[in-house]
Amino acid sequence: MPRFDRPFPRPWAGATGLLLGLALASPSRAELLTLPGAVHRAVAQAPRLEAQDAAISAAQEDAERAAALPDPMLEFGIDNLPVTGADAFDPNADDMTMKRIGLRQDIPAGAKRQARRSLADRRVDAAQADAVAERLVVQRQAAEAWIDVWAAQHQRHTLGQLREQAELATTLAKARVRGGGEIGDALAAEAAVLDLDSRGELIEGEEAQALARLRRWVPDADAASVGGDPDFSALPYSRNQLVASVEDMGPLLTAHARVEFAAAA
């Protein structure tokens, strides 16, 4: 009669136990990384947003200078200076030789300067719209990565509970086989445990990928620190607020600013 008393592999359950052991052995628990906390830290640390802020500052400085008068120009020179003969390059040889020095100020038309200022203001609006759109992208990608890690952890926990039940079913099936029961039930119970192990390994891989994406925005994030139970059943804004601000979201936000910039140009 076949024996079914060999231990079954639990690679993903072992990894869970290792993480739990390390957490218990740590002198102080890592700070909990919640969904709002991950999004906030991603926005605060993203180099792409720092570049957008620098672009806004540059556009604002250009706008301040757009309507100003051109810089005055210092002019100097010599008129009617002899360049040939015995008196060549002698400024005192000819009474018609004149030295001059002065300042020149160009004054463009007011409408032209106003048009320049309007164009510069639209350039500022476009830079600010790009920054807001980029901030939304960072927030969305960081939130999606955190949610993927959180979901994988919950799936792994649920699979662990199912595996405990499957192991109990396997033990009972073995006992029935020893008492003369059907061997097919024991084989089916063992296959169920192996299937749960396979699904656990797959979820572990998905969690590792999600954690790598999260670390792009929060470099010191780890699986043990991700926690909290966000409420996904309710939106943070009402439906009317979302409909009213649909043009101020994502790609539409930058498109509107670029249309205004093109019109000013």
Side-chain angles (χ1 to χ4, degrees):
M1 178 179 299
R3 294 177 59 84
F4 295 93
D5 55 352
R6 64 179 177 85
F8 298 110
R10 298 179 60 184
W12 56 274
T16 304
L18 177 61
L19 290 175
L20 180 59
L22 291 175
L24 293 177
S26 176
S28 61
R29 183 178 178 181
E31 181 181 356
L32 190 66
L33 182 63
T34 62
L35 176 57
V39 173
H40 175 75
R41 291 179 60 182
V43 170
Q45 300 175 2
R48 292 158 57 175
L49 298 183
E50 294 180 0
Q52 292 291 344
D53 291 340
I56 292 175
S57 298
Q60 289 174 338
E61 291 178 1
D62 290 341
E64 293 177 357
R65 296 190 298 264
L69 293 174
D71 293 335
M73 300 179 64
L74 175 65
E75 291 187 342
F76 62 91
I78 299 179
D79 296 333
N80 301 323
L81 177 68
V83 294
T84 60
D87 297 330
F89 302 107
D90 183 358
N92 300 317
D94 191 337
D95 293 339
M96 297 299 294
T97 300
M98 294 181 296
K99 302 175 184 178
R100 56 184 173 82
I101 185 171
L103 292 174
R104 187 183 72 180
Q105 174 68 66
D106 292 336
I107 304 179
K112 184 176 182 180
R113 285 186 286 138
Q114 185 60 36
R116 289 177 178 173
R117 180 56 188 262
S118 178
L119 180 61
D121 288 341
R122 299 293 77 76
R123 186 177 287 109
V124 172
D125 293 341
Q128 291 174 338
D130 288 340
V132 173
E134 187 66 30
R135 185 180 300 271
L136 292 175
V137 170
V138 171
Q139 290 176 334
R140 188 190 73 246
Q141 293 184 357
E144 289 176 347
W146 186 97
I147 291 172
D148 288 343
V149 174
W150 177 86
Q153 290 179 344
H154 280 66
Q155 290 176 8
R156 186 156 47 83
H157 176 72
T158 301
L159 281 179
Q161 294 177 331
L162 292 175
R163 196 184 192 285
E164 291 178 359
Q165 299 175 9
E167 283 184 326
L168 178 59
T170 300
T171 301
L172 295 176
K174 292 176 186 178
R176 286 196 295 269
V177 169
R178 295 188 183 96
E182 294 291 335
I183 190 174
D185 294 340
L187 292 174
E190 182 179 3
V193 173
L194 295 176
D195 179 65
L196 289 173
D197 286 341
S198 177
R199 292 169 60 186
E201 292 177 354
L202 178 63
I203 291 176
E204 269 195 350
E206 294 175 352
E207 181 182 359
Q209 294 177 3
L211 185 59
R213 295 197 304 272
L214 179 59
R215 284 175 175 167
R216 177 187 178 189
W217 307 110
V218 186
D220 59 346
D222 57 73
S225 65
V226 174
D229 293 313
D231 183 10
F232 296 115
S233 62
L235 294 173
Y237 302 99
S238 67
R239 180 178 180 276
N240 292 335
Q241 288 176 313
L242 293 175
V243 172
S245 59
V246 66
E247 294 185 356
D248 296 332
M249 296 298 173
L252 291 179
L253 180 64
T254 58
H256 180 66
R258 294 189 183 283
V259 167
E260 290 188 348
F261 176 73

